[in-house]
């Protein structure tokens, strides 16, 4: 009976255990943790979860949202030519830009350890990251200008070209057909219909150039004289008019540096170049030959490469992206390189490995986690590339440089007004980013377990 009394709350009964609120692993009560996380969860739901859900829902409706179309918007994405071009260019961006930026960042990070003024070099390479995409787009739009006098890229290209190739003397010049027997003879050249004779100076008048546009400070033309095979090349026009066509009149300007060839039976037997007064003298064997002005005298000046044309517009824009983000990759990889055990590098050198083998067999494998972080981050970044393409690509070639993010903007807000198609493209972009994010999350979890 005593035992029963004790068990039922008698004088000797044991006190009932008290129930304490549940705590988390860190010792914080669960309701406190939820309270602190609630603002972040509300923002996450409002700024991430709701827009994603609404985009998926909106992608199932037509342009104005009044009619349900199911998966028609997704089908249109893979049948519309402009969208297919955007898909192709986005694939090019993902395949090329991250790998190129990561490789350059790795090279810069390794080189900065071996050069003086490494900090200044890193600052110089990283500085473009401080520039907005809008400003960088404007800068490179000017860099890629077709006119060499404005575009830096073509200024460099034309300078190199002109250093190894002769440029034309008088682009777009042509014979005065009414007063000269020079006729077009193919390849941009002009040949006289009659033969030149010693003692009878040849007259080769040209037009098509304004006198005030002649290069340098041209002299007045002079009629050739002498017993040999001579002639004059000059601009048969002067400001204010006057004079006789086909004759060297006072005040008309000489054309210096024009190449003149003596041609007999299709072969060049002699050649000369006009002097400062426009006159030229050929050797005696040119007597009886016809005179030809080669097309090289009149070819249009080399203006460089059409960087923003349909063929090169995407590589050109990728180049501007590399300029901006190479510093980002360099800084992250340099931070990883600072944590590499130098004893491993020295051990490889002691074992007889050269610098290339040390870099390829030791440095790169040790930096693999950092390289993966940089590569994955850039892959996600280029899938959303929009600003550079929209600003740099001119309107005629913007369709050739189109990417998915730009196509989303054009379909929804850039005049298309089709919010259903734009939402579908947004969902496609999300689906493309998810696998990359999943791989990145798995990698982070594996690193934590180590």
């Amino acid at each position: 009976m005593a035992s029963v009394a004790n068990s039922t709350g008698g004088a000797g009964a044991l006190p009932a255990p008290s129930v304490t609120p549940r705590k988390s692993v860190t010792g914080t009560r669960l309701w406190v943790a939820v309270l602190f996380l609630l603002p972040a969860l509300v923002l996450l739901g409002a700024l991430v979860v709701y827009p994603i859900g609404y985009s998926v829902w909106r992608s199932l409706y037509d342009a104005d949202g009044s009619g349900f179309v199911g998966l028609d918007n997704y089908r249109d994405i893979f049948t519309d030519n402009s969208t297919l071009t955007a898909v192709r260019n986005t694939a090019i961006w993902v395949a090329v830009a991250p790998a190129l930026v990561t490789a350059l960042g790795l090279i810069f990070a390794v080189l900065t350890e071996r050069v003086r003024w490494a900090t200044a070099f890193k600052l110089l390479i990283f500085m473009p990251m401080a520039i907005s995409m809008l400003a960088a787009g404007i800068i490179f739009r000017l860099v890629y200008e077709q006119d060499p006098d404005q575009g830096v890229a073509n200024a460099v290209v034309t300078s190199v070209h002109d250093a190894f190739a002769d440029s034309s003397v008088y682009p777009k010049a042509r014979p005065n057909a009414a007063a000269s027997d020079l006729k077009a003879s193919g390849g941009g050249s002009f040949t006289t219909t009659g033969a030149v004779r010693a003692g009878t100076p040849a007259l080769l008048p040209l037009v098509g150039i304004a006198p005030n546009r002649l290069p340098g400070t041209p002299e007045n033309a002079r009629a050739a004289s002498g017993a040999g095979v001579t002639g004059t090349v000059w601009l048969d026009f002067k400001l204010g008019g006057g004079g006789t066509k086909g004759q060297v009149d006072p005040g008309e300007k000489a054309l210096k540096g024009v190449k003149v060839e003596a041609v007999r039976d299709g072969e060049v037997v002699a050649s000369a170049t006009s002097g400062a007064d426009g006159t030229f003298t050929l050797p005696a064997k040119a007597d009886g030959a016809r005179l030809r002005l080669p097309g090289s005298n009149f070819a249009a000046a080399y203006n460089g490469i059409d960087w923003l044309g349909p063929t090169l517009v995407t590589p050109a824009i990728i180049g501007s992206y590399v300029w901006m983000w190479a510093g980002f990759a360099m800084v992250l990889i340099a931070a990883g390189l600072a944590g590499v055990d130098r004893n491993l590098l020295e051990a490889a050198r002691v074992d007889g490995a050269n610098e290339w083998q040390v870099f390829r067999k030791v440095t790169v494998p040790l930096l693999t986690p950092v390289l993966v972080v940089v590569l994955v981050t850039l892959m996600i970044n280029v899938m959303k590339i929009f600003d550079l393409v929209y600003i740099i690509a001119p309107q005629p070639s913007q369709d050739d440089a189109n990417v998915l993010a730009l196509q989303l903007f054009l379909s929804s807000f850039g005049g298309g007004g089709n919010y259903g198609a734009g939402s579908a493209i947004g969902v496609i972009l999300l689906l493309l980013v998810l696998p990359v994010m999943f791989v990145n999350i798995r990698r982070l979890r594996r690193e934590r377990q180590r």
Side-chain angles (χ1 to χ4, degrees):
M1 294 294 291
S3 62
V4 174
N6 291 338
S7 64
T8 57
L14 297 174
S18 59
V19 179
T20 58
R22 184 179 177 184
K23 294 185 177 182
S24 65
V25 178
T26 59
T28 305
R29 289 180 175 84
L30 183 61
W31 68 271
V32 176
V34 172
L35 184 63
F36 275 97
L37 289 175
L38 186 59
L41 293 175
V42 171
L43 287 176
L44 184 66
L47 300 179
V48 178
V49 178
Y50 172 75
I52 291 176
Y54 180 79
S55 296
V56 173
W57 173 81
R58 188 64 179 81
S59 68
L60 303 177
Y61 286 79
D62 58 9
D64 58 2
S66 60
F68 181 81
V69 296
L71 299 178
D72 288 351
N73 288 323
Y74 295 93
R75 185 181 68 249
D76 293 340
I77 290 176
F78 297 101
T79 56
D80 181 66
N81 290 331
S82 60
T83 309
L84 288 176
T85 301
V87 172
R88 183 198 65 193
N89 288 337
T90 301
I92 293 174
W93 272 88
V94 172
V96 175
L100 190 58
V101 172
T102 304
L104 282 177
L106 176 61
I107 293 172
F108 290 153
V110 173
L111 290 180
T112 51
E113 290 199 332
R114 299 174 176 271
V115 298
R116 299 179 64 185
W117 305 99
T119 303
F121 180 79
K122 289 180 180 179
L123 178 63
L124 186 65
I125 300 298
F126 187 75
M127 192 178 296
M129 281 295 298
I131 302 175
S132 68
M133 285 283 193
L134 174 63
I138 295 173
I139 291 171
F140 275 88
R141 180 65 181 269
L142 295 175
V143 167
Y144 291 134
E145 272 292 334
Q146 180 68 43
D147 186 356
D149 294 331
Q150 299 180 16
V152 176
N154 272 339
V156 174
V157 171
T158 53
S159 298
V160 174
H161 175 273
D162 293 344
F164 295 95
D166 294 332
S167 57
S168 60
V169 183
Y170 301 103
K172 300 181 180 180
R174 64 184 187 278
N176 188 347
S180 172
D181 64 345
L182 283 169
K183 305 298 179 184
S185 54
S189 62
F190 300 94
T191 306
T192 59
T193 56
V196 64
R197 296 295 178 183
T200 305
L203 299 176
L204 304 177
L206 297 177
V207 293
I209 314 174
N212 57 353
R213 295 294 181 90
L214 293 175
T217 307
E219 298 181 7
N220 290 332
R222 182 178 65 85
S225 61
V229 180
T230 61
T232 304
V233 184
W234 82 102
L235 182 62
D236 194 17
F237 173 81
K238 63 180 179 179
L239 296 175
T244 303
K245 296 298 182 183
Q247 298 296 323
V248 181
D249 298 310
E252 293 182 338
K253 299 300 181 180
L255 298 180
K256 177 185 176 181
V258 177
K259 185 177 183 180
V260 182
E261 296 176 340
V263 181
R264 182 182 289 113
D265 299 328
E267 295 185 359
V268 178
V269 297
S271 64
T273 302
S274 60
D277 58 0
T279 62
F280 62 88
T281 302
L282 291 165
K285 59 183 178 180
D287 189 16
R290 294 190 300 166
L291 299 183
R292 180 172 68 186
L293 302 182
S296 58
N297 292 315
F298 315 112
Y302 179 71
N303 286 323
I305 300 171
D306 187 9
W307 296 102
L308 299 181
T311 304
L312 295 177
V313 61
T314 295
I317 300 173
I318 290 177
S320 66
Y321 180 87
V322 171
W323 176 79
M324 285 195 66
W325 287 85
F328 166 81
M330 179 196 66
V331 170
L332 290 187
I333 296 172
L337 190 61
V340 172
D341 188 356
R342 304 297 165 167
N343 294 327
L344 297 175
L345 304 181
E346 293 300 327
R349 294 188 180 99
V350 170
D351 290 340
N354 56 37
E355 291 301 320
W356 168 246
Q357 291 172 330
V358 172
F359 173 75
R360 186 166 57 92
K361 299 288 188 179
V362 181
T363 304
V364 173
L366 291 175
L367 289 175
T368 298
V370 180
L371 296 177
V372 172
V373 171
V374 175
L375 190 64
V376 170
T377 302
L378 293 173
M379 288 178 67
I380 296 174
N381 183 268
V382 298
M383 285 186 189
K384 304 178 293 180
I385 195 70
F386 163 77
D387 317 61
L388 289 178
V389 181
Y390 185 70
I391 297 168
I392 295 177
Q395 193 61 43
S397 59
Q398 193 174 88
D399 291 341
D400 299 284
N402 198 9
V403 290
L404 281 174
L406 177 59
Q407 183 61 31
L408 186 156
F409 170 79
L410 295 176
S411 298
S412 300
F413 313 107
N418 192 339
Y419 298 105
S423 300
I425 295 174
V427 173
I428 294 294
L429 274 174
L430 175 64
L431 294 177
L432 292 175
V433 171
L434 285 179
V436 182
M437 294 180 62
F438 177 73
V439 171
N440 201 25
I441 292 172
R442 289 194 60 183
R443 182 191 59 78
L444 291 174
R445 286 179 176 175
R446 286 198 300 267
E447 288 187 358
R448 286 177 184 172
Q449 293 174 357
R450 292 177 185 175

